[in-house]
Amino acid sequence: MHTLWTRANAIFAFTLSVLAAATFAAFLSTLAANTSAPVHIKVSNPRLKSVSDYSANGARSDLAMFGMDIEVDVSPIYNWNVKQLFLYLVAEYQTPKNVMNQVVLWDKIIMRDERSVVHEENLVPKYYFFDDGNNLLNHKNVTLQLRWNVIPNAGYIRLAQGEGTTKVEFPASYITGRF
């Protein structure tokens, strides 16, 4: 009546349907899970340097540097459906030229089996903090916020952010020499 291949195909199709339903159930079971955690960021010694931006008009731009301490416990975010977290520190500020500026300064990937408490001290930004002009000079409201992407085993990547921000006030004068 039915060949061996027909029966094998039916079993295979049924197995795929059950696995798809189980994967969707896994996604639904962690849909409302908490993805936030308290974050403590401490900034020290903010300083600015005016550097050439190598554009055609020969303008100068601000290069910012500071020390920072980051502390966050992301262990409550982990559940059986979380594969890894991609953490990144963002600086946000407004300028007359741009309503919203966002610069990523630091990032880290935390796998499931790694330590879930991030306690970094005496960090400097991993990536350069340039502004496209002289807008950071005497800027009193640069906000640092730690955000992360929750990478699941099944489902979509969720974006989350830590509870707590830090304001950085930059000085009114540039430094000379090296940072």
Side-chain angles (χ1 to χ4, degrees), residues 21-140:
T23 302
F24 187 68
F27 161 67
L28 288 179
S29 70
T30 58
L31 189 61
N34 182 25
T35 59
S36 186
V39 175
H40 302 286
I41 303 169
K42 181 182 168 192
V43 175
S44 61
N45 194 18
R47 51 208 186 276
L48 291 172
K49 189 172 186 176
S50 181
V51 296
S52 296
D53 67 1
Y54 302 106
S55 64
N57 61 5
R60 299 192 64 80
S61 296
D62 288 347
L63 173 61
M65 185 63 70
F66 48 84
M68 57 189 171
D69 299 340
I70 300 173
E71 187 173 345
V72 61
D73 181 9
V74 292
S75 57
I77 297 170
Y78 278 95
N79 57 44
W80 63 273
N81 193 27
V82 175
K83 182 187 224 176
Q84 68 185 23
L85 294 177
F86 176 72
L87 281 71
Y88 56 99
L89 183 69
V90 176
E92 292 183 348
Y93 60 100
Q94 291 183 355
T95 61
K97 189 175 180 180
N98 300 312
V99 176
M100 175 64 73
N101 295 286
Q102 294 181 326
V103 180
V104 174
L105 302 175
W106 175 86
D107 62 16
K108 181 175 185 150
I109 296 173
I110 302 177
M111 301 299 285
R112 171 192 285 284
D113 55 353
E114 291 180 5
R115 192 178 80 230
S116 298
V117 177
V118 176
H119 185 78
E120 301 282 348
E121 293 182 345
N122 302 320
L123 284 175
V124 293
K126 189 175 181 180
Y127 307 108
Y128 287 117
F129 186 3
F130 276 108
D131 181 65
D132 61 343
N134 300 45
N135 300 310
L136 290 177
L137 191 64
N138 202 26
H139 200 296
K140 302 295 183 194

